[in-house]
């Protein structure tokens, strides 16, 4: 809008200047000048005066008696003066002098005004672009500066906190009362969460003691009953079945406690782990199961990867994966373990040629008590334990499977170990 306003101001200024020139011309107009004009006897009956550069002109003409009188108009139109066409701002004044009507026209060239207006518009556009760029950069950096405490709160107190004990209660340095309030509320909330976590851990410890102890007592009583020679075969079978149920219950409780302890970070993770040695020992221990199904086992580990974590938990992780590869494999099938590097990260795969999984099974495979087949033994906690151990060690685990082709578990290890 600024060029339009400038143009309006310029036109008002020109109009005022033209009006002042008109007043001077009328004030000094007398009979002699009019007679001179008439004596000239021009065919056009027009008196004209032009500036050297055609920037201004004055035109006096006779008009019919029936024309307007004592009226002033301002118009903008092109005029050809001495064969040169220009745009002019023109004042038209109709007046009567000694019973004769005249039209006085005083014009001011707009060529310079138009050039000036173009320059102003161009200059305004350049300035506007510069202002927009500077404002954008200033706002970006200023907003970044203002939100720096917020990002620091998100980064240090939310994003990288995996357990309440690792929460940093140090107040964030900021002059914003809103961010100070946010920091205080987060500290208070994390204190409450930390207290709840402590109570949960205590509850888990109590549950492990209270549940496992009665199970052990029942198992001892059943085993003592088996020593009674007066029992018939039916009673013995029922007792043996009950012992199996107790063993299963004990395993379920132990696995749930294991998952809970892993998720509560109750394990140390400072041991140097030799993955090749763990897998070799497991294959040796499970050799009987492998031979029973006549499976072909291939271990192709070409890299020595230094890994720090909990050796017992990693042993459990690979035990569950290899046992699943045996359990859900086909007779005379294959199991392959190999390693390599993917996008700079060390990876290890456990593959089998078993029954495979459909898409829905792959989505739910890591959920607790999810079983691939109800015909096989298991509690559906093995892969839930695998996922918990992988998360504890910051290992990314993926599954790739196809029905009747096989399943592959991909473990991608972090370059820098950042354990919970």
């Amino acid at each position: 809008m600024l060029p339009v306003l400038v143009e309006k101001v310029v036109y008002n200024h020109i109009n005022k200047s033209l009006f002042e020139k008109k007043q001077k011309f009328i004030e000094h107009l007398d009979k002699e000048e009019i007679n001179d004009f008439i004596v000239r006897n021009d065919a056009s009956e027009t008196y004209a005066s032009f500036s050297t550069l055609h920037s201004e002109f004055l035109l006096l003409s006779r008009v019919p008696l029936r024309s307007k009188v004592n009226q002033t108009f301002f118009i903008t139109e092109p005029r050809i003066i001495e064969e040169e066409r220009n745009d002019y701002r023109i004042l038209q004044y109709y007046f009567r002098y000694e019973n004769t009507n005249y039209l006085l026209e005083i014009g001011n060239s707009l060529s310079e005004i138009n050039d000036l207006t173009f320059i102003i518009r161009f200059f305004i556009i350049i300035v506007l672009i510069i202002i927009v760029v500077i404002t954008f950069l200033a706002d970006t950096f200023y907003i970044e500066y203002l939100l720096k405490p917020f990002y620091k709160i998100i980064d240090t107190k939310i994003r990288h906190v995996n357990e309440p004990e690792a929460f940093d209660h140090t107040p964030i340095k900021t002059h914003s009362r809103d961010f100070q309030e946010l920091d205080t509320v987060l500290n208070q909330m994390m204190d409450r969460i930390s207290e709840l976590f402590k109570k949960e851990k205590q509850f888990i410890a109590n549950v492990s003691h209270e549940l496992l102890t009665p199970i052990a007592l029942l198992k001892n009583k059943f085993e003592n009953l088996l020593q009674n020679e007066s029992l018939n075969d039916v009673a013995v079978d029922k007792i043996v079945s009950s012992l199996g149920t107790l063993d299963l219950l004990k395993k379920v409780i132990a696995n749930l406690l294991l998952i809970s302890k892993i998720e509560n970070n109750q394990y140390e993770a400072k041991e140097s782990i030799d993955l090749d040695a763990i897998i070799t020992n497991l294959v040796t221990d499970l050799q009987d199961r492998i031979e029973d199904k006549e499976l072909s086992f291939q271990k192709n580990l070409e890299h020595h990867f230094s890994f720090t974590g909990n050796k017992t938990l990693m042993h459990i992780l690979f035990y569950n994966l290899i046992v699943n590869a045996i359990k859900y494999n086909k007779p005379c099938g294959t199991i392959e373990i190999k390693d390599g590097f993917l996008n700079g990260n060390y990876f290890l795969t456990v593959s089998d040629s078993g029954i495979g999984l459909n898409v829905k099974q792959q989505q739910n495979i890591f959920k607790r008590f999810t079983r691939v087949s109800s015909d096989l033994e298991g509690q559906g906690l093995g892969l839930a334990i695998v996922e918990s151990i992988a998360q504890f060690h910051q290992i990314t685990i993926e599954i790739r499977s196809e029905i009747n082709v096989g399943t592959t578990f991909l473990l991608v290890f972090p370059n820098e170990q950042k354990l919970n």
Side-chain angles (χ1 to χ4, degrees), residues 108-251:
N108 197 322
S109 176
L110 295 178
S111 58
E112 294 181 1
I113 302 301
N114 292 336
D115 293 341
L116 179 61
T117 304
F118 173 78
I119 293 173
I120 291 174
R121 288 181 178 179
F122 181 76
F123 176 76
I124 289 173
I125 291 174
I126 298 298
V127 170
L128 180 62
I129 293 174
I130 294 174
I131 289 174
V132 169
V133 172
I134 293 176
T135 303
F136 174 77
L137 294 176
D139 287 351
T140 300
F141 287 110
Y142 189 60
I143 291 174
E144 187 74 19
Y145 170 76
L146 288 179
L147 294 181
K148 188 176 181 181
F150 175 75
Y151 293 137
K152 190 172 182 180
I153 291 173
I154 296 296
D155 190 56
T156 61
K157 299 202 172 186
I158 296 179
R159 183 174 298 156
H160 294 153
V161 177
N162 296 317
E163 62 172 5
E165 286 77 6
F167 185 79
D168 185 6
H169 288 78
T170 304
I172 299 296
K173 294 181 179 179
T174 175
H175 299 291
S176 172
R177 295 182 61 185
D178 295 331
F179 291 149
Q180 290 176 353
E181 182 68 18
L182 175 62
D183 185 38
T184 302
V185 171
L186 281 176
N187 289 339
Q188 294 173 352
M189 181 183 68
M190 194 55 68
D191 288 337
R192 292 193 293 269
I193 293 176
S194 179
E195 186 65 26
L196 291 175
F197 264 62
K198 291 178 181 178
K199 291 180 180 179
E200 182 185 0
K201 290 179 181 180
Q202 186 63 39
F203 172 77
I204 291 172
N206 294 336
V207 167
S208 64
H209 175 75
E210 296 297 332
L211 290 181
L212 293 178
T213 301
I215 290 174
L217 293 175
L218 285 173
K219 185 176 181 180
N220 288 333
K221 289 182 179 180
F222 281 131
E223 289 174 349
N224 291 333
L225 283 174
L226 287 176
Q227 305 300 323
N228 191 341
E229 297 179 355
S230 62
L231 295 175
N232 55 31
D233 293 340
V234 175
V236 170
D237 290 340
K238 289 183 178 180
I239 293 175
V240 170
S241 176
S242 298
L243 284 172
T245 302
L246 287 174
D247 286 335
L248 177 62
L249 180 59
K250 185 177 180 180
K251 289 180 181 178

Side-chain angles (χ1 to χ4, degrees), residues 79-95:
R79 290 288 179 94
I80 300 176
I81 298 178
E82 295 183 354
E83 298 181 355
E84 184 175 340
R85 183 185 179 92
N86 285 313
D87 289 330
Y88 288 89
R89 184 67 173 172
I90 303 171
L91 178 148
Q92 294 182 331
Y93 177 61
Y94 294 88
F95 67 96

Side-chain angles (χ1 to χ4, degrees), residues 23-68:
Q23 291 295 105
K24 290 181 180 179
F25 181 84
I26 295 299
E27 288 174 1
H28 294 89
L29 191 64
D30 56 21
K31 184 64 176 176
E32 289 186 7
E33 290 182 0
I34 296 296
N35 290 334
D36 288 342
F37 163 71
I38 296 173
V39 168
R40 294 167 116 216
N41 201 20
D42 281 343
S44 62
E45 294 186 334
T46 299
Y47 168 77
S49 174
F50 310 104
S51 67
T52 305
L53 299 177
H54 299 165
S55 61
E56 295 180 353
F57 74 86
L58 186 147
L59 195 65
L60 183 63
S61 307
R62 279 182 180 154
V63 293
L65 290 175
R66 62 181 179 273
S67 61
K68 314 164 191 177

Side-chain angles (χ1 to χ4, degrees), residues 314 317-318 321 346-350 386 390 395-398 409-413:
M314 292 303 298
L317 182 146
F318 285 106
L321 290 179
Y346 178 78
F347 76 87
L348 189 146
T349 60
V350 179
V386 167
I395 299 172
T396 302
I397 182 168
E398 298 177 7
F409 286 92
L410 171 67
L411 303 175
V412 181
F413 293 78

Side-chain angles (χ1 to χ4, degrees), residues 186-399:
L186 281 176
N187 289 339
Q188 294 173 352
M189 181 183 68
M190 194 55 68
D191 288 337
R192 292 193 293 269
I193 293 176
S194 179
E195 186 65 26
L196 291 175
F197 264 62
K198 291 178 181 178
K199 291 180 180 179
E200 182 185 0
K201 290 179 181 180
Q202 186 63 39
F203 172 77
I204 291 172
N206 294 336
V207 167
S208 64
H209 175 75
E210 296 297 332
L211 290 181
L212 293 178
T213 301
I215 290 174
L217 293 175
L218 285 173
K219 185 176 181 180
N220 288 333
K221 289 182 179 180
F222 281 131
E223 289 174 349
N224 291 333
L225 283 174
L226 287 176
Q227 305 300 323
N228 191 341
E229 297 179 355
S230 62
L231 295 175
N232 55 31
D233 293 340
V234 175
V236 170
D237 290 340
K238 289 183 178 180
I239 293 175
V240 170
S241 176
S242 298
L243 284 172
T245 302
L246 287 174
D247 286 335
L248 177 62
L249 180 59
K250 185 177 180 180
K251 289 180 181 178
V252 171
I253 294 174
N255 287 332
L256 288 175
L257 290 174
L258 175 62
I259 293 174
S260 181
K261 289 181 179 179
I262 294 172
E263 292 178 347
N264 288 327
N265 303 310
Q266 293 178 272
Y267 286 92
E268 292 290 334
K270 301 178 181 179
E271 300 173 294
S272 179
I273 298 174
D274 187 346
L275 299 178
D276 193 350
I278 290 178
I279 294 171
T280 300
N281 293 335
L282 282 172
V283 173
T284 302
D285 295 339
L286 298 172
Q287 192 63 39
D288 293 340
R289 297 192 188 186
I290 295 174
E291 292 176 355
D292 288 343
K293 274 199 167 184
E294 300 179 356
L295 301 176
S296 173
F297 188 90
Q298 300 175 8
K299 180 170 68 71
N300 300 317
L301 300 182
E302 301 177 356
H303 306 276
H304 181 74
F305 180 68
S306 178
F307 184 68
T308 302
N310 187 286
K311 189 179 295 184
T312 302
L313 294 181
M314 292 303 298
H315 185 277
I316 295 172
L317 182 146
F318 285 106
Y319 174 84
N320 286 332
L321 290 179
I322 296 175
V323 167
N324 276 353
I326 297 172
K327 184 189 299 185
Y328 297 105
N329 215 324
K330 300 174 183 177
C332 302
T334 60
I335 298 175
E336 182 182 15
I337 299 178
K338 64 180 181 179
D339 65 351
F341 284 89
L342 180 66
N343 297 327
N345 291 76
Y346 178 78
F347 76 87
L348 189 146
T349 60
V350 179
S351 306
D352 65 66
S353 59
I355 61 177
L357 301 169
N358 58 37
V359 176
K360 185 175 181 181
Q361 288 173 328
Q362 293 179 43
Q363 294 173 348
N364 300 322
I365 195 64
F366 293 111
K367 293 182 179 180
R368 299 177 189 181
F369 302 106
T370 299
R371 298 174 60 187
V372 175
S373 175
S374 58
D375 298 332
L376 299 174
E377 295 181 358
Q379 303 90 40
L381 292 172
L383 290 180
I385 294 173
V386 167
E387 184 185 39
S388 296
I389 296 174
Q391 291 178 351
F392 177 79
H393 291 90
Q394 301 295 317
I395 299 172
T396 302
I397 182 168
E398 298 177 7
I399 182 171

